[in-house]
Amino acid sequence: VYGFILKERINIRITHGQNAIVHDGGVQIEMAAQSLLEGKNPYAITFDKVLKGERFYHNGQLDPVLTHYVYSPLTFLMNIPVFLLSKSLFNIVDIRIALIVFFLASVFIGSYIVKEKILFLIVSLLNPLIINSIFLGANDVLVLFFLIFCLVFLRFRKLTFATIALGMAFGTKLTAIPFVPLYFLYLSNQFKKQDKTRHLIKEVFIFLITTLIIYLPFVFWNAKAIFEDLILYVFQGGNQTYPITGYLGIPHLLANFKLVSAWTNFPFYYIQSVIAILVLILFHRILIKSPSLKTLCILYVLLFIISFGFGRTFQPNYLDFLSQILIFGSFVQDKLLAKPGTRRYLAKQ
């Protein structure tokens, strides 16, 4: 089924143009990967060669999206091997081939820690929301891949590998941000009080090192370019930045009712931060009472919706991504990690 849909979409793209029936971000990932292979910095190039059409021009001016790459480095780094392989085998480079590969991998890896494996595979692989997202070319599946790895490692108490996987998710797309504080709050309940600080510092250090390995090469290459693309363009607001988009969220409602401009520079990120902190205080108490992977998945979805609901962007594909997190959370084995102070816990330590 996936093969037939993919063939049809690729044929349409070949017939009608590079960005026909494919997400703009997917096209940008393809060009970013190609640019890196050519020795160019993906955060310092323009995308007017692949993103064409009237919607990318306003009053004769280039849309700012053509001069910014809003995704983290792993979005193109992890896709390069798949692109090279598909190019050599089929003479085709299409982001959706890579998305299918990483989605299938995440589903089958996740099936190791779920109950009712066959039902989980059926529901996941036939999830209409995530299938639509994949064949549109939305890249949220790449974050899903690392988050599933993180949860699987957590289930088997491989905390170092879980933290590395979290760092890689953070190095793929900033939509992983809500999971980061929840992850460390979850870990804080798994250690004895006298060892909690030491273990948490260790895991935070591993997370930071992983993140720095991913981002620092591009910071050294061109710090201004990556800072503008990932931070200023997305959060700052103004005529030359990312407008309020999507169809959910408080800013979107305000823009729809013409109470604010879609290009307003109002600092919504301040509201996002305050709301997120208040919600995290409540969620920490919930994790203390129910420190399970199921709870962790549900709280991530809720925190994501709440925090991004006060941000400038809440894209439809975010809900597709969250639906798969909820499916995984519904099937995951709720067997808790060994509790602090027990023989099993001490033996594992």
Side-chain angles (χ1 to χ4, degrees):
V1 172
Y2 281 32
F4 281 121
I5 299 174
L6 179 63
K7 181 181 177 181
E8 179 193 19
R9 294 299 176 90
I10 290 177
N11 286 338
I12 292 174
R13 193 175 182 188
I14 292 172
T15 304
H16 297 282
Q18 185 72 9
N19 56 333
I21 316 183
V22 63
H23 194 278
D24 298 343
V27 178
Q28 287 183 301
I29 290 174
E30 293 170 357
M31 184 172 177
Q34 182 60 40
S35 297
L36 186 64
L37 291 174
E38 295 172 356
K40 301 175 184 176
N41 187 342
Y43 294 100
I45 63 173
T46 58
F47 297 90
D48 54 315
K49 293 181 180 179
V50 292
L51 295 180
K52 300 177 180 180
E54 293 181 4
R55 64 193 179 97
F56 295 110
Y57 294 86
H58 302 285
N59 299 322
Q61 301 294 320
L62 285 176
D63 189 309
V65 72
L66 298 177
T67 57
H68 295 87
Y69 185 77
V70 298
Y71 307 118
S72 300
L74 275 187
T75 49
F76 53 82
L77 290 175
M78 66 189 293
N79 281 297
I80 286 177
V82 182
F83 289 165
L84 293 176
L85 185 61
S86 65
K87 179 70 173 178
S88 63
L89 293 178
F90 312 112
N91 197 31
I92 293 173
V93 173
D94 193 292
I95 182 65
R96 289 166 290 199
I97 297 174
L99 296 181
I100 291 173
V101 169
F102 287 112
F103 176 63
L104 294 178
S106 66
V107 170
F108 284 104
I109 290 166
S111 68
Y112 278 95
I113 62 169
V114 302
K115 51 191 175 182
E116 302 181 18
K117 289 180 170 51
I118 300 300
L119 182 59
F120 167 74
L121 290 173
I122 292 172
V123 173
S124 295
L125 296 175
L126 297 180
N127 176 5
L129 295 177
I130 200 71
I131 290 175
N132 174 71
S133 182
I134 290 171
F135 287 103
L136 177 64
N139 55 36
D140 304 279
V141 165
L142 305 178
V143 183
L144 177 71
F145 175 74
F146 289 116
L147 289 182
I148 295 296
F149 253 113
C150 177
L151 292 166
V152 170
F153 283 131
L154 268 183
R155 174 65 177 76
F156 292 112
R157 271 206 80 81
K158 304 296 183 182
L159 299 187
T160 297
F161 291 112
T163 305
I164 291 173
L166 177 64
M168 296 181 79
F170 187 75
T172 304
K173 196 172 180 180
L174 297 184
T175 49
I177 289 176
F179 193 82
V180 176
L182 288 172
Y183 173 82
F184 288 109
L185 289 176
Y186 178 85
L187 284 189
S188 69
N189 298 320
Q190 306 303 319
F191 302 122
K192 294 168 61 177
K193 286 186 178 180
Q194 57 267 37
D195 296 328
K196 181 183 295 188
T197 301
R198 176 170 60 86
H199 284 298
L200 279 178
I201 289 176
K202 173 189 172 184
E203 298 305 324
V204 170
F205 179 76
I206 292 171
F207 172 76
L208 292 175
I209 290 298
T210 304
T211 302
L212 290 174
I213 289 173
I214 295 169
Y215 284 98
L216 272 185
F218 297 94
V219 172
F220 290 142
W221 195 348
N222 191 331
K224 182 175 181 291
I226 191 171
F227 182 72
E228 285 183 351
D229 284 5
L230 294 185
I231 306 299
L232 295 182
Y233 176 66
V234 177
F235 296 103
Q236 188 179 43
N239 292 333
Q240 294 302 310
T241 61
Y242 203 72
I244 295 172
T245 55
Y247 64 90
L248 290 175
I250 303 302
H252 177 73
L253 289 176
L254 294 175
N256 268 357
F257 286 110
K258 309 299 182 183
L259 298 176
V260 299
S261 166
W263 306 91
T264 179
N265 57 5
F266 182 83
F268 289 107
Y269 48 84
Y270 285 135
I271 299 177
Q272 281 182 285
S273 301
V274 172
I275 296 294
I277 291 171
L278 294 176
V279 171
L280 280 170
I281 294 173
L282 172 62
F283 284 2
H284 185 209
R285 296 184 178 183
I286 295 175
L287 282 171
I288 291 174
K289 295 180 179 179
S290 178
S292 66
L293 296 182
K294 182 188 296 288
T295 303
L296 184 59
C297 290
I298 293 172
L299 294 185
Y300 169 57
V301 170
L302 291 176
L303 182 60
F304 188 108
I305 292 173
I306 293 170
S307 57
F308 277 81
F310 286 92
R312 301 178 62 84
T313 304
F314 199 126
Q315 300 285 16
N317 49 282
Y318 293 171
L319 295 180
D320 304 337
F321 161 70
L322 295 177
S323 73
Q324 191 60 36
I325 294 290
L326 286 176
I327 289 173
F328 179 77
S330 300
F331 283 89
V332 70
Q333 292 279 9
D334 266 338
K335 185 177 180 181
L336 305 183
L337 299 176
K339 293 184 178 180
T342 62
R343 290 183 179 179
R344 181 171 170 233
Y345 175 85
L346 295 174
K348 288 181 178 292
Q349 289 300 303

